[in-house]
Amino acid sequence: MPFDQTKDVLNHARKFHRRLSEFYEDLKDSVEKERTRALLDYLSRHETYLDESLAKFQDAVSENVLDTFLNYKADTVNVSAISEFEISDDMSVDDVVAAAMHFDALLIKFYGDMARKTNSIKVRE
């Protein structure tokens, strides 16, 4: 069974947040509605904040936790799912919220899988 370390999983999650931030930023240029653009701007900044928060967490957590091996691959969050998402010029706020909830659900599943499949209490925390 393949193994990844906790630091690999966190790096994968950071990559997901960075790509999602870029996605929202790029999408902002293709929508016409001001409210939708404002929401996309907020979501882009929020994803950047989450990436930065994970980076700070990685700096603060012990090497023992970061070096812990897990018994599954970190590719359970499909970063390509972001770029494959349908974009239309007339996306509404509701469309953007639905997309954000979809991407959040991917991460919730990712973190849930990580917590269930590790033997380390420190990693689970």
Side-chain angles (χ1 to χ4, degrees):
M1 188 172 246
F3 290 89
D4 277 326
Q5 292 174 294
T6 304
K7 63 184 166 192
D8 299 326
V9 172
L10 292 172
N11 287 333
H12 188 75
R14 290 188 59 208
K15 177 181 176 183
F16 185 84
H17 286 298
R18 283 191 303 273
R19 180 61 190 106
L20 197 50
S21 176
E22 292 167 6
F23 171 77
Y24 290 137
E25 192 64 33
D26 292 345
L27 186 58
K28 189 172 70 172
D29 296 332
S30 68
V31 296
E32 295 178 11
K33 298 175 184 175
E34 186 60 36
R35 282 185 64 210
T36 306
R37 266 198 307 277
L39 177 59
L40 289 165
D41 183 58
Y42 166 78
L43 290 170
S44 177
R45 286 184 283 116
H46 180 69
E47 293 300 328
T48 298
Y49 170 77
L50 292 173
D51 173 35
E52 292 167 354
S53 294
L54 282 175
K56 289 177 186 174
F57 174 76
Q58 282 180 287
D59 290 341
V61 73
S62 76
E63 288 296 318
N64 287 341
V65 169
L66 292 176
D67 291 339
T68 300
F69 281 90
L70 307 169
N71 59 355
Y72 73 106
K73 280 302 270 178
D75 61 2
T76 56
V77 172
N78 186 358
V79 176
S80 67
I82 299 166
S83 59
E84 294 169 0
F85 190 80
E86 295 267 339
I87 298 170
S88 66
D89 292 342
D90 62 343
M91 287 186 78
S92 68
V93 170
D94 290 340
D95 295 332
V96 173
V97 169
M101 290 174 60
H102 169 73
F103 297 130
D104 283 351
L106 289 174
L107 279 174
I108 289 168
K109 181 183 180 326
F110 174 71
Y111 289 130
D113 288 347
M114 184 175 112
R116 282 188 298 279
K117 294 182 179 183
T118 185
N119 295 327
S120 169
I121 293 171
K122 291 284 187 188
V123 171
R124 196 172 298 125
E125 289 174 358

